[in-house]
Amino acid sequence: MSRVAESTIGRSREVELLLAALDGGAHVVLEGPPGTGKSTLLRTVARSRDVPFHFVEGNAELTPARLVGHFDPARVLSDGYVQEIFVDGPLAAALRDGGLLYVEELNRVPEETLNVLITVMSEAELHVPRLGRIDAAAGFRLVAAMNPFDAVGTARISAAVYDRTCRIAMGYQTAGDEVQIVSARAPEVPPVWRAGVVELTRRTRSHPDVRVGSSVRGAIDLVRVGTSLAVARGCPVDDWQVGLDAAFVSLSGRIRLSESAGRTPEDIVRQLYEDVFGPRPADSDDPARDGDSPGEAVARRQGRAAVR
């Protein structure tokens, strides 16, 4: 378990719970907002156990046939419905090889497809018309993930699903854990500035006008964009205007405002940015202004340097 914990920062408890559930023969639902490491956790667990891993993206297009598999239509005409021409879908493949079937965005899966999963979890077998029964090999487990806070394009998960699974809730990691994640996945930057970026991102989750805040992915992108922008403008990555522009790009599309907010995402991002990094310094050497393109900022900078 120690190897898994090292790869999933701040998730030692969830790693322990997931391994215990899988070893106990249970199917599992991981619930939490985006960016909390649900997919990373399960992929790491699968690698550590050296078991086959089958990924399914849950959406309205996931029909039972796409999940289970199908007969090759070109060969049905010549050979008929024989086992040799059946093309396994991810569910059939996971059942045969005793692997982990990971269903992402479970609450976006159509009801008729969910019913197939319910039967498999109950009976440990799958009945396919014209093919017969596929028994679950030892080790087969279903692990599903979902964001319970997303109401667009989703449906409520029935009690039948919850009755057949164990549930592990995954919230956001601590600030220290998120700093480590950003450090591992983004370019090297001054530690104080990186910590401020994480703090800014975390504050989007508690602002009164924000319904859904940004995950740590926003902080990672902010550091990446800020690093590139600083190179383009010829200034430090912790330059005030560079950070603000990178924050606009990285965070404004990730937050969802309350209907009564009456503000734009950019308003919220700027407010939070100034709360963390302070207002624009009066003696700032950066002549960039809000709304500047990188080229305009560089041009003014070069022009002022020529005057000097």
Side-chain angles (χ1 to χ4, degrees):
M1 190 183 81
S2 59
R3 286 189 303 160
V4 180
E6 290 174 2
S7 302
T8 51
I9 298 171
R11 291 299 182 202
S12 58
R13 175 177 176 274
E14 287 81 0
V15 166
E16 182 182 37
L17 295 176
L18 178 58
L19 288 173
L22 295 177
D23 289 341
H27 305 291
V28 180
V29 170
L30 304 175
E31 280 193 20
T36 50
K38 299 184 290 295
S39 299
T40 300
L41 172 62
L42 185 59
R43 289 180 185 274
T44 305
V45 166
R47 286 195 298 267
S48 72
R49 296 162 67 94
D50 194 26
V51 297
F53 182 85
H54 302 272
F55 174 82
V56 177
E57 182 178 354
N59 54 53
E61 306 301 319
L62 183 62
T63 63
R66 290 186 176 183
L67 179 66
V68 173
H70 63 277
F71 287 95
D72 184 342
R75 296 185 59 186
V76 166
L77 295 175
S78 59
D79 301 332
Y81 291 97
V82 295
Q83 183 173 353
E84 290 74 18
I85 66 171
F86 185 79
V87 181
D88 285 350
L91 174 56
L95 286 167
R96 293 186 197 276
D97 59 25
L100 284 176
L101 177 67
Y102 176 51
V103 181
E104 195 170 56
E105 303 291 352
L106 180 67
N107 50 348
R108 296 182 183 274
V109 175
E111 185 177 1
E112 61 176 344
T113 308
L114 281 178
N115 290 338
V116 175
L117 294 174
I118 290 172
T119 301
V120 169
M121 288 188 288
S122 298
E123 308 298 333
E125 62 184 29
L126 174 66
H127 289 269
V128 182
R130 298 190 178 93
L131 178 68
R133 186 178 71 191
I134 302 176
D135 292 315
F140 167 76
R141 301 288 186 272
L142 168 68
V143 180
M146 56 182 266
N147 169 18
F149 307 109
D150 194 350
V152 179
T154 63
R156 296 185 64 179
I157 297 300
S158 68
V161 173
Y162 280 120
D163 189 51
R164 290 163 175 80
T165 58
C166 292
R167 173 181 173 272
I168 298 177
M170 295 181 62
Y172 290 109
Q173 290 104 318
T174 66
D177 291 336
E178 293 194 347
V179 168
Q180 289 187 53
I181 293 171
V182 174
S183 178
R185 301 182 184 177
E188 183 64 29
V189 294
V192 173
W193 187 75
R194 180 172 54 229
V197 166
V198 170
E199 175 63 19
L200 166 62
T201 304
R202 291 175 64 85
R203 289 194 183 198
T204 65
R205 305 169 197 162
S206 57
H207 191 283
D209 289 333
V210 177
R211 180 170 54 85
V212 179
S214 172
S215 72
V216 70
R217 294 191 187 113
I220 294 170
D221 279 351
L222 202 163
V223 172
R224 290 173 175 172
V225 173
T227 300
S228 298
L229 198 55
V231 172
R233 293 181 178 178
C235 57
V237 69
D238 55 1
D239 174 87
W240 191 92
Q241 186 66 45
V242 164
L244 178 62
D245 289 340
F248 284 153
V249 172
S250 304
L251 300 179
S252 63
R254 283 185 161 96
I255 63 176
R256 298 290 180 269
L257 304 187
S258 303
E259 294 183 0
S260 60
R263 305 176 65 182
T264 66
E266 287 77 12
D267 289 338
I268 302 297
V269 170
R270 178 164 190 134
Q271 176 194 336
L272 294 176
Y273 184 85
E274 292 185 349
D275 288 344
V276 173
F277 293 100
R280 179 196 299 277
D283 58 348
S284 174
D285 189 52
D286 181 11
R289 296 190 294 265
D290 293 348
D292 280 348
S293 69
E296 290 170 335
V298 171
R300 267 199 313 279
R301 186 179 296 107
Q302 291 174 342
R304 193 168 70 171
V307 171
R308 289 175 179 173

